[in-house]
mmCIF file of all heavy atoms in Angstrom:
data_model
loop_
_atom_site.group_PDB
_atom_site.id
_atom_site.type_symbol
_atom_site.label_atom_id
_atom_site.label_comp_id
_atom_site.label_asym_id
_atom_site.label_seq_id
_atom_site.Cartn_x
_atom_site.Cartn_y
_atom_site.Cartn_z
ATOM 1 N N ALA A 18 60.022 -289.809 90.253
ATOM 2 C CA ALA A 18 61.145 -289.203 89.536
ATOM 3 C C ALA A 18 61.261 -289.771 88.125
ATOM 4 O O ALA A 18 61.409 -289.033 87.146
ATOM 5 C CB ALA A 18 62.442 -289.425 90.311
ATOM 6 N N GLY A 19 61.202 -291.095 88.005
ATOM 7 C CA GLY A 19 61.301 -291.717 86.689
ATOM 8 C C GLY A 19 60.119 -291.396 85.801
ATOM 9 O O GLY A 19 60.280 -291.128 84.600
ATOM 10 N N TYR A 20 58.927 -291.398 86.389
ATOM 11 C CA TYR A 20 57.719 -291.139 85.610
ATOM 12 C C TYR A 20 57.705 -289.714 85.073
ATOM 13 O O TYR A 20 57.461 -289.482 83.885
ATOM 14 C CB TYR A 20 56.489 -291.394 86.475
ATOM 15 C CG TYR A 20 55.187 -291.189 85.735
ATOM 16 C CD1 TYR A 20 54.718 -292.155 84.852
ATOM 17 C CD2 TYR A 20 54.445 -290.030 85.905
ATOM 18 C CE1 TYR A 20 53.539 -291.973 84.160
ATOM 19 C CE2 TYR A 20 53.258 -289.840 85.217
ATOM 20 C CZ TYR A 20 52.812 -290.809 84.344
ATOM 21 O OH TYR A 20 51.646 -290.616 83.646
ATOM 22 N N LEU A 21 57.981 -288.741 85.936
ATOM 23 C CA LEU A 21 57.944 -287.342 85.511
ATOM 24 C C LEU A 21 59.075 -287.036 84.528
ATOM 25 O O LEU A 21 58.882 -286.255 83.581
ATOM 26 C CB LEU A 21 58.031 -286.424 86.727
ATOM 27 C CG LEU A 21 56.813 -286.456 87.668
ATOM 28 C CD1 LEU A 21 57.033 -285.519 88.841
ATOM 29 C CD2 LEU A 21 55.534 -286.079 86.919
ATOM 30 N N ALA A 22 60.238 -287.626 84.738
ATOM 31 C CA ALA A 22 61.347 -287.401 83.800
ATOM 32 C C ALA A 22 60.994 -287.910 82.409
ATOM 33 O O ALA A 22 61.246 -287.238 81.398
ATOM 34 C CB ALA A 22 62.613 -288.087 84.317
ATOM 35 N N SER A 23 60.401 -289.097 82.332
ATOM 36 C CA SER A 23 60.054 -289.662 81.017
ATOM 37 C C SER A 23 58.914 -288.880 80.372
ATOM 38 O O SER A 23 58.913 -288.664 79.150
ATOM 39 C CB SER A 23 59.679 -291.141 81.152
ATOM 40 O OG SER A 23 58.552 -291.316 81.996
ATOM 41 N N MET A 24 57.944 -288.426 81.169
ATOM 42 C CA MET A 24 56.859 -287.610 80.624
ATOM 43 C C MET A 24 57.378 -286.283 80.097
ATOM 44 O O MET A 24 57.016 -285.835 78.996
ATOM 45 C CB MET A 24 55.800 -287.360 81.703
ATOM 46 C CG MET A 24 54.916 -288.546 81.999
ATOM 47 S SD MET A 24 53.679 -288.833 80.702
ATOM 48 C CE MET A 24 52.553 -287.484 81.032
ATOM 49 N N ALA A 25 58.255 -285.627 80.892
ATOM 50 C CA ALA A 25 58.829 -284.352 80.454
ATOM 51 C C ALA A 25 59.652 -284.531 79.189
ATOM 52 O O ALA A 25 59.572 -283.714 78.258
ATOM 53 C CB ALA A 25 59.688 -283.761 81.572
ATOM 54 N N MET A 26 60.435 -285.607 79.130
ATOM 55 C CA MET A 26 61.246 -285.857 77.946
ATOM 56 C C MET A 26 60.368 -286.040 76.712
ATOM 57 O O MET A 26 60.636 -285.485 75.647
ATOM 58 C CB MET A 26 62.111 -287.101 78.158
ATOM 59 C CG MET A 26 63.042 -287.397 77.012
ATOM 60 S SD MET A 26 63.043 -289.096 76.433
ATOM 61 C CE MET A 26 61.429 -289.694 76.641
ATOM 62 N N LEU A 27 59.274 -286.794 76.850
ATOM 63 C CA LEU A 27 58.386 -287.043 75.720
ATOM 64 C C LEU A 27 57.732 -285.754 75.241
ATOM 65 O O LEU A 27 57.748 -285.433 74.040
ATOM 66 C CB LEU A 27 57.315 -288.058 76.124
ATOM 67 C CG LEU A 27 56.262 -288.379 75.058
ATOM 68 C CD1 LEU A 27 56.893 -289.095 73.878
ATOM 69 C CD2 LEU A 27 55.132 -289.223 75.656
ATOM 70 N N ILE A 28 57.184 -284.971 76.168
ATOM 71 C CA ILE A 28 56.445 -283.767 75.777
ATOM 72 C C ILE A 28 57.380 -282.705 75.215
ATOM 73 O O ILE A 28 57.089 -282.098 74.169
ATOM 74 C CB ILE A 28 55.660 -283.223 76.986
ATOM 75 C CG1 ILE A 28 54.542 -284.212 77.373
ATOM 76 C CG2 ILE A 28 55.057 -281.855 76.671
ATOM 77 C CD1 ILE A 28 53.804 -283.843 78.639
ATOM 78 N N VAL A 29 58.513 -282.483 75.870
ATOM 79 C CA VAL A 29 59.442 -281.453 75.387
ATOM 80 C C VAL A 29 60.070 -281.861 74.058
ATOM 81 O O VAL A 29 60.305 -281.014 73.190
ATOM 82 C CB VAL A 29 60.519 -281.163 76.452
ATOM 83 C CG1 VAL A 29 61.528 -280.140 75.927
ATOM 84 C CG2 VAL A 29 59.875 -280.636 77.729
ATOM 85 N N THR A 30 60.333 -283.156 73.881
ATOM 86 C CA THR A 30 60.893 -283.620 72.593
ATOM 87 C C THR A 30 59.886 -283.409 71.463
ATOM 88 O O THR A 30 60.254 -282.980 70.358
ATOM 89 C CB THR A 30 61.282 -285.108 72.687
ATOM 90 O OG1 THR A 30 62.271 -285.260 73.704
ATOM 91 C CG2 THR A 30 61.844 -285.604 71.361
ATOM 92 N N ILE A 31 58.626 -283.692 71.720
ATOM 93 C CA ILE A 31 57.602 -283.449 70.692
ATOM 94 C C ILE A 31 57.487 -281.954 70.412
ATOM 95 O O ILE A 31 57.326 -281.531 69.255
ATOM 96 C CB ILE A 31 56.256 -284.053 71.136
ATOM 97 C CG1 ILE A 31 56.348 -285.587 71.137
ATOM 98 C CG2 ILE A 31 55.129 -283.602 70.205
ATOM 99 C CD1 ILE A 31 55.127 -286.281 71.660
ATOM 100 N N TRP A 32 57.604 -281.139 71.446
ATOM 101 C CA TRP A 32 57.594 -279.681 71.239
ATOM 102 C C TRP A 32 58.762 -279.254 70.340
ATOM 103 O O TRP A 32 58.600 -278.457 69.426
ATOM 104 C CB TRP A 32 57.667 -278.971 72.585
ATOM 105 C CG TRP A 32 57.854 -277.484 72.476
ATOM 106 C CD1 TRP A 32 59.018 -276.780 72.611
ATOM 107 C CD2 TRP A 32 56.849 -276.525 72.152
ATOM 108 N NE1 TRP A 32 58.822 -275.451 72.415
ATOM 109 C CE2 TRP A 32 57.485 -275.252 72.132
ATOM 110 C CE3 TRP A 32 55.484 -276.593 71.902
ATOM 111 C CZ2 TRP A 32 56.802 -274.078 71.856
ATOM 112 C CZ3 TRP A 32 54.795 -275.430 71.633
ATOM 113 C CH2 TRP A 32 55.449 -274.190 71.601
ATOM 114 N N TRP A 33 59.938 -279.789 70.614
ATOM 115 C CA TRP A 33 61.119 -279.466 69.797
ATOM 116 C C TRP A 33 60.893 -279.867 68.339
ATOM 117 O O TRP A 33 61.254 -279.138 67.413
ATOM 118 C CB TRP A 33 62.341 -280.174 70.364
ATOM 119 C CG TRP A 33 63.620 -279.858 69.644
ATOM 120 C CD1 TRP A 33 64.478 -278.833 69.882
ATOM 121 C CD2 TRP A 33 64.179 -280.593 68.545
ATOM 122 N NE1 TRP A 33 65.540 -278.859 69.018
ATOM 123 C CE2 TRP A 33 65.385 -279.938 68.180
ATOM 124 C CE3 TRP A 33 63.799 -281.728 67.843
ATOM 125 C CZ2 TRP A 33 66.192 -280.395 67.130
ATOM 126 C CZ3 TRP A 33 64.598 -282.180 66.807
ATOM 127 C CH2 TRP A 33 65.774 -281.515 66.463
ATOM 128 N N ILE A 34 60.289 -281.038 68.131
ATOM 129 C CA ILE A 34 60.021 -281.502 66.762
ATOM 130 C C ILE A 34 59.039 -280.560 66.068
ATOM 131 O O ILE A 34 59.227 -280.204 64.899
ATOM 132 C CB ILE A 34 59.464 -282.946 66.795
ATOM 133 C CG1 ILE A 34 60.554 -283.917 67.250
ATOM 134 C CG2 ILE A 34 58.928 -283.356 65.421
ATOM 135 C CD1 ILE A 34 60.053 -285.319 67.530
ATOM 136 N N LEU A 35 58.009 -280.143 66.788
ATOM 137 C CA LEU A 35 57.023 -279.229 66.197
ATOM 138 C C LEU A 35 57.672 -277.910 65.787
ATOM 139 O O LEU A 35 57.412 -277.378 64.695
ATOM 140 C CB LEU A 35 55.889 -278.961 67.193
ATOM 141 C CG LEU A 35 54.907 -280.101 67.458
ATOM 142 C CD1 LEU A 35 53.989 -279.748 68.622
ATOM 143 C CD2 LEU A 35 54.073 -280.390 66.212
ATOM 144 N N VAL A 36 58.523 -277.364 66.635
ATOM 145 C CA VAL A 36 59.118 -276.054 66.381
ATOM 146 C C VAL A 36 60.239 -276.131 65.352
ATOM 147 O O VAL A 36 60.315 -275.304 64.433
ATOM 148 C CB VAL A 36 59.624 -275.441 67.706
ATOM 149 C CG1 VAL A 36 60.424 -274.164 67.443
ATOM 150 C CG2 VAL A 36 58.452 -275.143 68.625
ATOM 151 N N ARG A 37 61.115 -277.146 65.495
ATOM 152 C CA ARG A 37 62.299 -277.216 64.641
ATOM 153 C C ARG A 37 62.038 -277.886 63.292
ATOM 154 O O ARG A 37 62.489 -277.408 62.250
ATOM 155 C CB ARG A 37 63.415 -277.971 65.364
ATOM 156 C CG ARG A 37 64.063 -277.175 66.475
ATOM 157 C CD ARG A 37 64.834 -276.003 65.938
ATOM 158 N NE ARG A 37 65.602 -275.339 66.994
ATOM 159 C CZ ARG A 37 66.198 -274.173 66.843
ATOM 160 N NH1 ARG A 37 66.093 -273.533 65.688
ATOM 161 N NH2 ARG A 37 66.879 -273.637 67.834
ATOM 162 N N ILE A 38 61.355 -278.991 63.315
ATOM 163 C CA ILE A 38 61.210 -279.773 62.080
ATOM 164 C C ILE A 38 60.003 -279.319 61.272
ATOM 165 O O ILE A 38 60.086 -279.143 60.054
ATOM 166 C CB ILE A 38 61.120 -281.277 62.413
ATOM 167 C CG1 ILE A 38 62.436 -281.723 63.075
ATOM 168 C CG2 ILE A 38 60.836 -282.094 61.155
ATOM 169 C CD1 ILE A 38 62.473 -283.178 63.464
ATOM 170 N N PHE A 39 58.875 -279.116 61.947
ATOM 171 C CA PHE A 39 57.670 -278.710 61.215
ATOM 172 C C PHE A 39 57.526 -277.186 61.115
ATOM 173 O O PHE A 39 56.567 -276.687 60.531
ATOM 174 C CB PHE A 39 56.429 -279.322 61.872
ATOM 175 C CG PHE A 39 56.337 -280.798 61.700
ATOM 176 C CD1 PHE A 39 56.788 -281.660 62.690
ATOM 177 C CD2 PHE A 39 55.830 -281.350 60.535
ATOM 178 C CE1 PHE A 39 56.719 -283.035 62.528
ATOM 179 C CE2 PHE A 39 55.756 -282.723 60.369
ATOM 180 C CZ PHE A 39 56.199 -283.565 61.358
ATOM 181 N N ARG A 40 58.480 -276.463 61.684
ATOM 182 C CA ARG A 40 58.551 -275.004 61.541
ATOM 183 C C ARG A 40 57.300 -274.290 62.042
ATOM 184 O O ARG A 40 56.940 -273.242 61.531
ATOM 185 C CB ARG A 40 58.792 -274.619 60.074
ATOM 186 C CG ARG A 40 60.047 -275.219 59.483
ATOM 187 C CD ARG A 40 61.273 -274.609 60.117
ATOM 188 N NE ARG A 40 62.500 -275.127 59.524
ATOM 189 C CZ ARG A 40 63.726 -274.772 59.901
ATOM 190 N NH1 ARG A 40 63.877 -273.887 60.872
ATOM 191 N NH2 ARG A 40 64.786 -275.282 59.325
ATOM 192 N N SER A 41 56.625 -274.903 62.998
ATOM 193 C CA SER A 41 55.463 -274.238 63.595
ATOM 194 C C SER A 41 55.959 -273.487 64.822
ATOM 195 O O SER A 41 56.116 -274.056 65.905
ATOM 196 C CB SER A 41 54.393 -275.267 63.974
ATOM 197 O OG SER A 41 53.293 -274.657 64.571
ATOM 198 N N LYS A 42 56.242 -272.164 64.657
ATOM 199 C CA LYS A 42 56.955 -271.425 65.688
ATOM 200 C C LYS A 42 56.141 -270.320 66.344
ATOM 201 O O LYS A 42 56.460 -269.886 67.440
ATOM 202 C CB LYS A 42 58.225 -270.806 65.093
ATOM 203 C CG LYS A 42 59.213 -271.814 64.535
ATOM 204 C CD LYS A 42 60.443 -271.107 63.988
ATOM 205 C CE LYS A 42 61.461 -272.103 63.440
ATOM 206 N NZ LYS A 42 62.660 -271.418 62.927
ATOM 207 N N LYS A 43 55.117 -269.792 65.661
ATOM 208 C CA LYS A 43 54.479 -268.567 66.122
ATOM 209 C C LYS A 43 53.067 -268.784 66.658
ATOM 210 O O LYS A 43 52.357 -269.693 66.226
ATOM 211 C CB LYS A 43 54.421 -267.546 64.980
ATOM 212 C CG LYS A 43 55.773 -266.971 64.587
ATOM 213 C CD LYS A 43 55.594 -265.853 63.577
ATOM 214 C CE LYS A 43 56.932 -265.182 63.253
ATOM 215 N NZ LYS A 43 56.757 -264.024 62.349
ATOM 216 N N SER A 44 52.700 -267.906 67.585
ATOM 217 C CA SER A 44 51.333 -267.744 68.039
ATOM 218 C C SER A 44 50.775 -269.017 68.657
ATOM 219 O O SER A 44 51.485 -269.804 69.281
ATOM 220 C CB SER A 44 50.470 -267.262 66.870
ATOM 221 O OG SER A 44 49.208 -266.820 67.328
ATOM 222 N N TRP A 45 49.485 -269.246 68.480
ATOM 223 C CA TRP A 45 48.804 -270.345 69.149
ATOM 224 C C TRP A 45 48.954 -271.720 68.488
ATOM 225 O O TRP A 45 48.808 -272.743 69.176
ATOM 226 C CB TRP A 45 47.305 -270.014 69.278
ATOM 227 C CG TRP A 45 46.615 -269.810 67.947
ATOM 228 C CD1 TRP A 45 46.442 -268.644 67.291
ATOM 229 C CD2 TRP A 45 46.044 -270.837 67.116
ATOM 230 N NE1 TRP A 45 45.788 -268.849 66.098
ATOM 231 C CE2 TRP A 45 45.537 -270.203 65.971
ATOM 232 C CE3 TRP A 45 45.911 -272.218 67.237
ATOM 233 C CZ2 TRP A 45 44.914 -270.900 64.941
ATOM 234 C CZ3 TRP A 45 45.288 -272.925 66.220
ATOM 235 C CH2 TRP A 45 44.795 -272.264 65.086
ATOM 236 N N PRO A 46 49.237 -271.851 67.134
ATOM 237 C CA PRO A 46 49.273 -273.203 66.549
ATOM 238 C C PRO A 46 50.240 -274.170 67.222
ATOM 239 O O PRO A 46 49.868 -275.342 67.439
ATOM 240 C CB PRO A 46 49.644 -272.935 65.090
ATOM 241 C CG PRO A 46 49.082 -271.596 64.811
ATOM 242 C CD PRO A 46 49.317 -270.829 66.079
ATOM 243 N N PRO A 47 51.485 -273.771 67.610
ATOM 244 C CA PRO A 47 52.352 -274.758 68.264
ATOM 245 C C PRO A 47 51.747 -275.301 69.562
ATOM 246 O O PRO A 47 51.848 -276.502 69.844
ATOM 247 C CB PRO A 47 53.634 -273.968 68.540
ATOM 248 C CG PRO A 47 53.622 -272.855 67.571
ATOM 249 C CD PRO A 47 52.190 -272.497 67.390
ATOM 250 N N LEU A 48 51.115 -274.423 70.345
ATOM 251 C CA LEU A 48 50.489 -274.879 71.586
ATOM 252 C C LEU A 48 49.298 -275.786 71.295
ATOM 253 O O LEU A 48 49.060 -276.785 71.994
ATOM 254 C CB LEU A 48 50.030 -273.669 72.408
ATOM 255 C CG LEU A 48 51.128 -272.690 72.848
ATOM 256 C CD1 LEU A 48 50.516 -271.532 73.632
ATOM 257 C CD2 LEU A 48 52.175 -273.395 73.680
ATOM 258 N N PHE A 49 48.547 -275.451 70.253
ATOM 259 C CA PHE A 49 47.412 -276.281 69.852
ATOM 260 C C PHE A 49 47.889 -277.671 69.430
ATOM 261 O O PHE A 49 47.336 -278.692 69.861
ATOM 262 C CB PHE A 49 46.663 -275.596 68.703
ATOM 263 C CG PHE A 49 45.544 -276.414 68.132
ATOM 264 C CD1 PHE A 49 44.311 -276.487 68.768
ATOM 265 C CD2 PHE A 49 45.720 -277.126 66.946
ATOM 266 C CE1 PHE A 49 43.278 -277.244 68.238
ATOM 267 C CE2 PHE A 49 44.705 -277.885 66.413
ATOM 268 C CZ PHE A 49 43.466 -277.947 67.060
ATOM 269 N N PHE A 50 48.931 -277.698 68.578
ATOM 270 C CA PHE A 50 49.447 -278.984 68.107
ATOM 271 C C PHE A 50 50.006 -279.810 69.270
ATOM 272 O O PHE A 50 49.792 -281.023 69.349
ATOM 273 C CB PHE A 50 50.530 -278.774 67.054
ATOM 274 C CG PHE A 50 50.006 -278.238 65.754
ATOM 275 C CD1 PHE A 50 50.720 -277.270 65.051
ATOM 276 C CD2 PHE A 50 48.817 -278.678 65.219
ATOM 277 C CE1 PHE A 50 50.248 -276.766 63.852
ATOM 278 C CE2 PHE A 50 48.330 -278.186 64.016
ATOM 279 C CZ PHE A 50 49.050 -277.217 63.339
ATOM 280 N N LEU A 51 50.751 -279.152 70.175
ATOM 281 C CA LEU A 51 51.322 -279.882 71.304
ATOM 282 C C LEU A 51 50.212 -280.491 72.161
ATOM 283 O O LEU A 51 50.256 -281.679 72.499
ATOM 284 C CB LEU A 51 52.178 -278.944 72.155
ATOM 285 C CG LEU A 51 52.813 -279.591 73.396
ATOM 286 C CD1 LEU A 51 53.877 -280.594 72.971
ATOM 287 C CD2 LEU A 51 53.407 -278.545 74.328
ATOM 288 N N SER A 52 49.226 -279.686 72.508
ATOM 289 C CA SER A 52 48.154 -280.160 73.380
ATOM 290 C C SER A 52 47.366 -281.298 72.740
ATOM 291 O O SER A 52 47.035 -282.291 73.393
ATOM 292 C CB SER A 52 47.205 -279.008 73.727
ATOM 293 O OG SER A 52 47.894 -277.967 74.363
ATOM 294 N N THR A 53 47.078 -281.160 71.451
ATOM 295 C CA THR A 53 46.241 -282.169 70.790
ATOM 296 C C THR A 53 47.036 -283.409 70.394
ATOM 297 O O THR A 53 46.564 -284.531 70.589
ATOM 298 C CB THR A 53 45.567 -281.569 69.548
ATOM 299 O OG1 THR A 53 46.574 -280.964 68.705
ATOM 300 C CG2 THR A 53 44.548 -280.525 69.937
ATOM 301 N N VAL A 54 48.247 -283.197 69.845
ATOM 302 C CA VAL A 54 49.047 -284.350 69.423
ATOM 303 C C VAL A 54 49.444 -285.189 70.627
ATOM 304 O O VAL A 54 49.238 -286.413 70.662
ATOM 305 C CB VAL A 54 50.295 -283.899 68.635
ATOM 306 C CG1 VAL A 54 51.249 -285.077 68.432
ATOM 307 C CG2 VAL A 54 49.894 -283.319 67.302
ATOM 308 N N VAL A 55 50.010 -284.526 71.645
ATOM 309 C CA VAL A 55 50.423 -285.275 72.832
ATOM 310 C C VAL A 55 49.203 -285.761 73.609
ATOM 311 O O VAL A 55 49.077 -286.943 73.929
ATOM 312 C CB VAL A 55 51.320 -284.407 73.736
ATOM 313 C CG1 VAL A 55 51.612 -285.137 75.051
ATOM 314 C CG2 VAL A 55 52.612 -284.075 73.031
ATOM 315 N N GLY A 56 48.293 -284.826 73.907
ATOM 316 C CA GLY A 56 47.151 -285.193 74.735
ATOM 317 C C GLY A 56 46.267 -286.248 74.114
ATOM 318 O O GLY A 56 46.003 -287.293 74.712
ATOM 319 N N ALA A 57 45.809 -285.987 72.878
ATOM 320 C CA ALA A 57 44.872 -286.915 72.239
ATOM 321 C C ALA A 57 45.532 -288.266 71.955
ATOM 322 O O ALA A 57 44.927 -289.319 72.168
ATOM 323 C CB ALA A 57 44.341 -286.303 70.947
ATOM 324 N N THR A 58 46.786 -288.233 71.465
ATOM 325 C CA THR A 58 47.470 -289.493 71.155
ATOM 326 C C THR A 58 47.709 -290.312 72.417
ATOM 327 O O THR A 58 47.519 -291.531 72.433
ATOM 328 C CB THR A 58 48.807 -289.221 70.443
ATOM 329 O OG1 THR A 58 48.559 -288.462 69.264
ATOM 330 C CG2 THR A 58 49.500 -290.520 70.076
ATOM 331 N N TYR A 59 48.128 -289.647 73.487
ATOM 332 C CA TYR A 59 48.392 -290.353 74.742
ATOM 333 C C TYR A 59 47.115 -290.979 75.286
ATOM 334 O O TYR A 59 47.101 -292.146 75.708
ATOM 335 C CB TYR A 59 48.979 -289.374 75.755
ATOM 336 C CG TYR A 59 49.915 -290.015 76.753
ATOM 337 C CD1 TYR A 59 51.270 -290.163 76.482
ATOM 338 C CD2 TYR A 59 49.446 -290.472 77.979
ATOM 339 C CE1 TYR A 59 52.132 -290.734 77.389
ATOM 340 C CE2 TYR A 59 50.300 -291.058 78.902
ATOM 341 C CZ TYR A 59 51.644 -291.180 78.605
ATOM 342 O OH TYR A 59 52.491 -291.761 79.516
ATOM 343 N N VAL A 60 46.042 -290.205 75.269
ATOM 344 C CA VAL A 60 44.766 -290.725 75.755
ATOM 345 C C VAL A 60 44.291 -291.890 74.888
ATOM 346 O O VAL A 60 43.776 -292.897 75.395
ATOM 347 C CB VAL A 60 43.704 -289.609 75.798
ATOM 348 C CG1 VAL A 60 42.313 -290.182 76.062
ATOM 349 C CG2 VAL A 60 44.054 -288.581 76.877
ATOM 350 N N LEU A 61 44.475 -291.770 73.577
ATOM 351 C CA LEU A 61 44.080 -292.849 72.676
ATOM 352 C C LEU A 61 44.878 -294.124 72.968
ATOM 353 O O LEU A 61 44.315 -295.222 73.025
ATOM 354 C CB LEU A 61 44.292 -292.422 71.217
ATOM 355 C CG LEU A 61 43.974 -293.475 70.152
ATOM 356 C CD1 LEU A 61 42.496 -293.868 70.217
ATOM 357 C CD2 LEU A 61 44.322 -292.957 68.762
ATOM 358 N N LEU A 62 46.191 -293.970 73.165
ATOM 359 C CA LEU A 62 47.025 -295.136 73.476
ATOM 360 C C LEU A 62 46.621 -295.757 74.808
ATOM 361 O O LEU A 62 46.583 -296.984 74.951
ATOM 362 C CB LEU A 62 48.500 -294.741 73.507
ATOM 363 C CG LEU A 62 49.139 -294.432 72.156
ATOM 364 C CD1 LEU A 62 50.558 -293.895 72.337
ATOM 365 C CD2 LEU A 62 49.159 -295.671 71.270
#
């Protein structure tokens, strides 16, 4: 419960930042950024 809640919070918060702050809202780029920023950074860490 704790692990999934913290993972969901991290991923959804980064999604919100991508859409709201960086204004990446349409088509495939937001999904690309989410997958690569979260995925690659997490794996690197």
Side-chain angles (χ1 to χ4, degrees):
Y20 182 77
L21 293 179
S23 61
M24 285 285 286
M26 183 228 33
L27 177 66
I28 293 174
V29 177
T30 299
I31 291 175
W32 172 260
W33 183 88
I34 291 171
L35 288 171
V36 172
R37 286 293 187 191
I38 297 179
F39 290 96
R40 302 291 183 181
S41 179
K42 299 181 179 181
K43 290 187 175 184
S44 193
W45 61 268
L48 299 179
F49 175 79
F50 290 140
L51 179 69
S52 301
T53 53
V54 169
V55 173
T58 303
Y59 210 88
V60 170
L61 178 62
L62 288 173

